Amino acid sequence: MSKEPFAQIAIAQIPKILTLLDRNPHSPTYGCFDRNFWHYKIVDFPTGMSQEFVWPLALAYATDAPDNPFYQQPILPKWVEAGILYAARSAHGDGSCDDYFPYERAAGAAAFSLLACVESYQLLQLDNPEILAFFERRADWLAHHEESGRLSNHQALIVLCLKLVGQLLHTSKWSRAKARRLSKLLSWQSPEGWFPEYEGADPGYQTLTIWCLAQLDRLSTRSDDNLKEAIVKAVEFASLFVHPDGSFGGEYASRNTYNFFPHGFELVGRWMPKALGVNDLFLKGLAKGLAPCYADDHIIGHHTWNYFLAWRDFVDDRPPPLPRPLGQIWLQDAKIAIDRAVSQPYTPENSPQTLPPKLDESNPAELAPAVTELYLAANKGGVFKLFRGDRLVASDTHFSLLVHQGGKLRTAVGHLVGDYEVSLDHEEMIVRGNLGWAKQPQMTPLKLMVLRVVMLTGGRFFPDLIRKILQKLLITGKDPAPYSFIRRLRFEEGRWHVIDELSAPTWKDVVSAQIGGDRTSIYVVMSRTFQLNQLQPWIDLTQTVRQLEDGQILRLERWL
């Protein structure tokens, strides 16, 4: 198994990260990675999360990987130190920083950027008292700050930050806060192994939490059985969601992410060899071009540094791949079903529907029996992905209707997290419920002005309240729409038979009706990234809907 894709993908991101950086030592924003702030001047404050990008630069400097033009380039440590100093000087007096609006004091941005700055400082062996004083201020703030929402990856990041800064400064002042947060995080873990992210399980963010816990375990001077047990359960859960084509996660997860942080599996794999198999299959996906694209201005750093670390700490002695067991797995708490079964050979007579994408009828291997793998989110109305062998056959994010309502166009969708009626057995899966109105608000000049006025006055003293309100508006909760559905999936004669029915009080208001493969609407920073499997076309049901009379049911039947 070649580890090179990890380094290749990471190195490819460095030119863009350097473009985002103000590299001019005579500039007042020297070291700032928020190009929208220092260059375009279209925002009025720099996002603190961007300073996380110092770590990819530090790793690019220190990583002797093939075809790495940045290795040991003497200018890079100067730019990294400038980035850390800018993080310190642009922070609030208490060490916190903002991410999306002024005086937000965002825990996630503060933790990610602190982690990156501390690791870069030590990797490059810097010596700067101003930076050390900043690390202490930010760790003080993180130790006592409690953010709204249940985001396990943030809790894990904060614990790791407190551990790292404590070791760097040779202090135990945050020991109680660190122990309290770690205990809280471990108490959140489901018996199924997953850690919650807002409303449920997200395998993508789970891999980041695994990495944090693996780092804590590696840094500990004595073994912690509770921590080890939590890591084992977390890895067991995450291992279920690396697909046969090497892709990972997606729209059936609670946060809709394709996140994958591989370094944690290399660390855990040293004492739990099964963890290495997750990375082995993921690397096959990378080799086929299935890496999701995270190369935007805000999130390009996360995976870049983690890929560098996975390459650096890659375990050479790896066990052979384990077989993927057939049968159905029902994760009651996560409300996710995984079903693996053997499909029958393809023949024109038994497959009346369209062939799977790129199926080669002249290739006997393509037409032979193969294992199908179904991943279905019952808590999202039955959103699913289906694979046959190592090929994605269908990605289905449920009904999406564009509807005239009250003089406006609104979108009713079936992929929102909710409490649906679910019936599962080995013969049939049934999910019933209502579509929900998609959360699609956009900023306007007036809204931005109001938010600025609020945050520059009383809101600056209650940033968590503002954050909680925005989370409710953009992320959590479901406002039901007047469209009810029944989704049935049956494994019949070696194929999946999918039957969808949708009822409406009237069809006259429906402008467009579709089922797409990557439709999501709730706001999640790391979601809605492009991945090669998203090239499949959507199913357009608009003409069918236009022929329906009120009281009639929209019915779609598919064999997959």
Side-chain angles (χ1 to χ4, degrees), residues 199 255 378-382 398-399 410-421 431-439 471-485 502 521-522:
E199 297 174 290
R255 315 314 301 145
N379 66 331
K380 300 184 77 174
H398 222 293
F399 286 112
R410 298 186 70 184
T411 305
V413 296
H415 61 249
L416 298 179
V417 176
D419 186 17
Y420 299 96
E421 183 182 341
V431 185
R432 293 182 173 88
N434 280 75
L435 305 187
W437 293 115
K439 296 174 180 290
Q471 285 171 344
K472 187 173 182 180
L473 290 173
L474 299 174
I475 302 175
T476 61
K478 175 189 170 188
D479 184 13
Y483 302 94
S484 60
F485 70 85
L502 184 67
S521 59
I522 60 173

Side-chain angles (χ1 to χ4, degrees), residues 472-515:
K472 187 173 182 180
L473 290 173
L474 299 174
I475 302 175
T476 61
K478 175 189 170 188
D479 184 13
Y483 302 94
S484 60
F485 70 85
I486 302 176
R487 167 160 284 187
R488 295 182 175 90
L489 296 95
R490 304 168 183 160
F491 193 71
E492 299 177 344
E493 300 179 357
R495 292 174 295 160
W496 281 99
H497 188 190
V498 183
I499 304 170
D500 284 310
E501 295 182 351
L502 184 67
S503 302
T506 177
W507 294 107
K508 294 182 177 63
D509 298 331
V510 178
V511 177
S512 175
Q514 296 174 350
I515 293 178

